[in-house]
Amino acid sequence: MYRFLLTPRWWGINVFVLLAIPFCVFMGSWQLGRFEDRVDSHREAEHKPGEEQQEAVPLEELLPVDKETSGRLATASGRYGEQFVVPQRELDGKRGSYVLTLLRTDGGRVLPVVRGWMPEGGRAPAAPAGDVTVTGALQASESTGTDGVHTAGGLPSGQLGMISAASLVNLVPDDVYDAWVTLSKADSGLTAVPAAAPENSGLDLKAFQNLGYTGEWFVFAGFVLFMWFRLVRREAEAAKDRALGLEPETA
């Protein structure tokens, strides 16, 4: 009754099923692995030692910024220069702005330093004069996908929509670090801006998309197997009917 499984048509169906099911299982396992990697990164970020437990090290030792160095305490020395206001930034549920001042380091390059946050309508205090040494959490340059970034343009002079070397390249003549720091202790009149978690280390929408794709691939594998059993059963019943002389009606 099952000799039809050896026909060329069914050989093709069987080969397809034998290839499709492992492929679906592999893709589902791969997506599950991506989700687990994001969960592990999230846990590592949560258990990362606090700033008060870290020892500040020179900026150059932590570059380039990655998941391991993001949030680490860095020190740099130099003199403050141009200052910008970074608007539309929230802190503790309140709207305001970051006060960003460029530090011309002893090495000749410029480091963006967020000296703190001020509420809407506030006035940015002037930066300390003379030689200074700053200590703050190292952060990667922002991108268009970073929360709070303003990319629509049209900001007044002295305001900056995104903290990155790319956004500063046309505003200052010096070489800008592809990184920035947020001071551990804000300057007078400002509130310290906490360090943000490294990108792709949280349980964001992409993580749950990976989990959803995992389920989809496993469902596909089950569907392929179900349809194969259904076709086999229908073909076997048809073969049994033919053996009994019961031919299906034709229109």
Side-chain angles (χ1 to χ4, degrees):
M1 185 170 58
Y2 293 99
R3 291 179 180 175
F4 63 85
L5 292 172
L6 301 178
T7 61
R9 171 173 171 266
W10 272 94
W11 265 110
I13 295 175
N14 293 336
V15 170
F16 171 78
V17 171
L18 289 174
L19 294 176
I21 292 178
F23 177 77
C24 290
V25 171
F26 169 78
M27 291 301 298
S29 300
W30 180 74
Q31 290 289 351
L32 181 60
R34 293 291 302 275
F35 172 74
E36 291 175 342
D37 289 342
R38 292 182 183 274
V39 171
D40 290 341
S41 296
H42 177 65
R43 288 175 178 171
E44 289 176 2
E46 284 187 333
H47 290 87
K48 196 171 184 179
E51 290 185 1
E52 66 279 0
Q53 298 175 339
Q54 297 179 10
E55 181 180 353
V57 297
L59 173 68
E60 296 291 346
E61 296 182 14
L62 299 176
L63 298 176
V65 186
D66 55 24
K67 289 183 179 180
E68 294 298 323
T69 61
S70 179
R72 290 283 305 278
L73 287 181
T75 62
S77 298
R79 286 175 173 261
Y80 280 125
E82 292 91 338
Q83 182 161 283
F84 299 90
V85 171
V86 186
Q88 301 179 17
R89 298 302 175 106
E90 289 191 0
L91 185 65
D92 297 331
K94 299 178 181 179
R95 295 283 298 255
S97 304
Y98 291 168
V99 176
L100 183 145
T101 310
L102 301 183
L103 180 73
R104 285 185 167 77
T105 64
D106 296 338
R109 300 179 68 184
V110 170
L111 174 68
V113 177
V114 171
R115 295 170 46 229
W117 175 91
M118 63 180 181
E120 287 187 341
R123 184 174 181 179
D131 294 332
V132 296
T133 297
V134 299
T135 301
L138 183 65
Q139 301 281 264
S141 288
E142 294 182 335
S143 64
T144 54
T146 304
D147 290 341
V149 164
H150 181 87
T151 58
L155 291 175
S157 176
Q159 294 192 9
L160 193 67
M162 181 169 63
I163 307 174
S164 71
S167 63
L168 288 165
V169 67
N170 293 324
L171 300 179
V172 294
D174 306 281
D175 185 19
V176 181
Y177 281 103
D178 188 19
W180 56 283
V181 299
T182 173
L183 295 185
S184 303
K185 295 181 180 179
D187 286 342
S188 178
L190 302 174
T191 302
V193 176
E199 291 187 6
N200 301 319
S201 64
L203 294 181
D204 54 10
L205 179 60
K206 290 183 179 180
F208 291 102
Q209 283 180 340
N210 291 136
L211 189 60
Y213 293 150
T214 298
E216 288 180 1
W217 281 111
F218 288 148
V219 168
F220 290 158
F223 179 75
V224 170
L225 190 60
F226 167 77
M227 290 302 299
W228 183 82
F229 276 113
R230 185 174 180 180
L231 290 174
V232 169
R233 181 178 179 182
R234 188 173 66 178
E235 191 79 12
E237 289 175 350
K240 183 177 180 180
D241 290 343
R242 286 193 296 270
L244 296 174
L246 302 175
E247 295 294 334
E249 296 182 358
T250 58

